[in-house]
């Protein structure tokens, strides 16, 4: 089938890159040892701190989010150290694999992939650890495979209630700049992020926001590190430079993306994501389908993961939607393969893009023969533009 118009990329990342960011990246490469580059470096290094809501340093690497995972581990831990990690989905499982390859002992708290990290369970484990053998608690803030957002302030309170000195490491790869997140206020020691989701950039950059406590831990950490060494980055960063060849054109794009986020205002960015997520869930409920996330307090504002009815393959549905409407939806991962499709609604996104996305899903459900009720798109429209708003608008024009 020949498609016209633009492809709808509605996976939960990489996300659509705004034209402004694409144009910003379309510049000549400059000397990365020049005063011009130092100005660029200082701008983005300072600007990212506001997104993480931290007064501390943010370390950037040319890498995917997996690189940021590794950097967080090797800078803070030693061989044989014990950590706690919650099983919240596919990506928590991958992070566990990275840690175990470095000889870290992972207490992997089982989960059903439909709920976030359990603060009460954590507090009980930490209270029992009187010798403070646990060196870190690792949490995926927004699990991209399930659409479940863990409540990090409750995790922080569990650490504090147990009077436990463990570091708190949080993966925000699919939540940063999409869901409210506060590195300093929530007492996070290392926040992990990537460029290709809420920051609206192509893949290729990763980030660690680092607390003073984490920097102190790095002084005694004994896992091998060279490229990932924070100190090797922080020293030249003070003057806007990097120790290795930086991704200059991605930094141009990051500067523009930070400007766009400032123009909209972070609080407004979060409200927009909340609004689109609620409209999407309204559509799913109207279709009579089941949302993966079980607890409304943990609904993700970045994506919505949806079960297909028993006996119907989610991947076949996605294939029908791609073939007929040129729209990509996220696949179910690992044990959710073939059972779940994921609707991304994060990054550079608006009401009409969401309406088009949900139209594509509803038409795809019909063409694929997946049992559902009609009216999901209308339910989303009613959420986005409720009748009282229309009346209010009409009165203003009189």
């Amino acid at each position: 089938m020949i498609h016209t118009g633009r492809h709808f990329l509605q996976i939960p990342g990489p996300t659509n890159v705004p034209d402004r960011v694409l144009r910003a990246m379309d510049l000549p490469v400059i000397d990365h040892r020049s005063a011009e580059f130092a100005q660029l470096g200082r701008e983005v290094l300072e600007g990212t701190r506001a997104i993480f809501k931290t007064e501390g340093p943010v370390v950037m690497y040319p890498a995917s989010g997996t690189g940021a995972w590794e950097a967080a581990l090797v800078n803070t831990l030693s061989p044989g150290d014990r950590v706690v990690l919650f099983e919240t989905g596919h990506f928590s499982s991958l992070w566990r694999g990275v840690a175990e390859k470095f000889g870290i002992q992972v207490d992997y708290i089982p989960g059903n992939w439909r709920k976030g990290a359990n603060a009460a369970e954590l507090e009980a484990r930490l209270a029992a650890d009187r010798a403070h053998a646990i060196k870190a608690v690792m949490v995926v803030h927004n699990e991209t495979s399930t659409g479940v957002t863990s409540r990090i302030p409750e995790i922080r309170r569990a650490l504090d209630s147990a009077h436990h000195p463990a570091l708190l490491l949080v993966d925000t790869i699919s939540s940063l700049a999409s869901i409210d997140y506060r590195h300093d206020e929530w007492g996070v020691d290392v926040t992990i992020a990537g460029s290709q989701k809420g920051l609206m950039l192509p893949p290729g950059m990763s980030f660690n926001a680092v607390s003073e406590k984490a920097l102190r831990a790095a002084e005694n950490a004994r896992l091998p590190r060279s490229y990932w060494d924070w100190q090797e980055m922080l020293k030249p960063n003070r003057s806007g430079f990097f120790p290795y060849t930086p991704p200059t054109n991605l930094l141009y794009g990051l500067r523009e993306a930070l400007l766009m986020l400032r123009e909209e205002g972070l609080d407004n960015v979060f409200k927009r994501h909340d609004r689109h997520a609620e409209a999407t869930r309204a559509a799913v409920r109207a279709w009579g389908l089941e949302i993966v996330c079980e607890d409304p307090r943990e609904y993700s504002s970045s994506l919505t993961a949806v079960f297909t009815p028993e006996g119907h393959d989610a991947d076949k549905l996605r294939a029908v939607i791609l073939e007929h409407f040129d729209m990509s939806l996220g696949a179910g991962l690992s044990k959710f393969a073939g059972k779940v499709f994921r609707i991304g609604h994060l990054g550079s996104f608006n009401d009409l893009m969401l309406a088009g996305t949900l139209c594509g899903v509803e038409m795809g459900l019909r063409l694929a023969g997946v049992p559902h009720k009609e009216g999901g798109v209308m339910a989303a429209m009613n959420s986005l533009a409720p009748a009282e708003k229309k009346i209010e608008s009409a009165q203003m024009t009189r």
Side-chain angles (χ1 to χ4, degrees), residues 210-331:
V210 184
S211 73
E212 283 295 327
K213 182 179 175 181
L215 288 173
R216 290 195 299 272
E219 294 174 3
N220 299 311
R222 291 182 287 104
L223 282 174
R225 58 190 187 269
S226 175
Y227 179 78
W228 303 113
D229 193 333
W230 287 339
Q231 288 304 326
E232 291 301 311
M233 293 292 277
L234 289 171
K235 284 182 276 188
N237 279 177
R238 294 186 187 102
S239 52
F241 294 111
F242 293 79
Y244 317 117
T245 305
T248 305
N249 290 65
L250 280 173
L251 294 176
Y252 287 144
L254 177 58
R255 178 169 61 184
E256 189 67 22
L258 293 172
L259 177 59
M260 292 174 68
L261 292 168
R262 284 198 300 271
E263 288 172 355
E264 186 175 359
L266 262 186
D267 287 343
N268 292 326
V269 171
F270 300 145
K271 289 176 184 176
R272 169 167 57 84
H273 282 77
D274 293 343
R275 185 167 165 271
H276 289 154
E278 181 53 45
T280 303
R281 293 190 294 269
V284 175
R285 294 187 189 105
W287 290 324
L289 300 180
E290 186 178 3
I291 297 168
V292 170
C293 182
E294 291 182 325
D295 188 339
R297 296 174 299 170
E298 297 177 336
Y299 282 150
S300 171
S301 290
S302 297
L303 72 136
T304 301
V306 185
F307 284 113
T308 47
E310 190 73 30
H312 293 269
D313 191 328
D315 290 338
K316 289 182 179 177
L317 169 65
R318 291 174 50 251
V320 167
I321 292 171
L322 179 61
E323 179 184 357
H324 288 271
F325 308 116
D326 197 22
M327 181 168 75
S328 296
L329 296 174

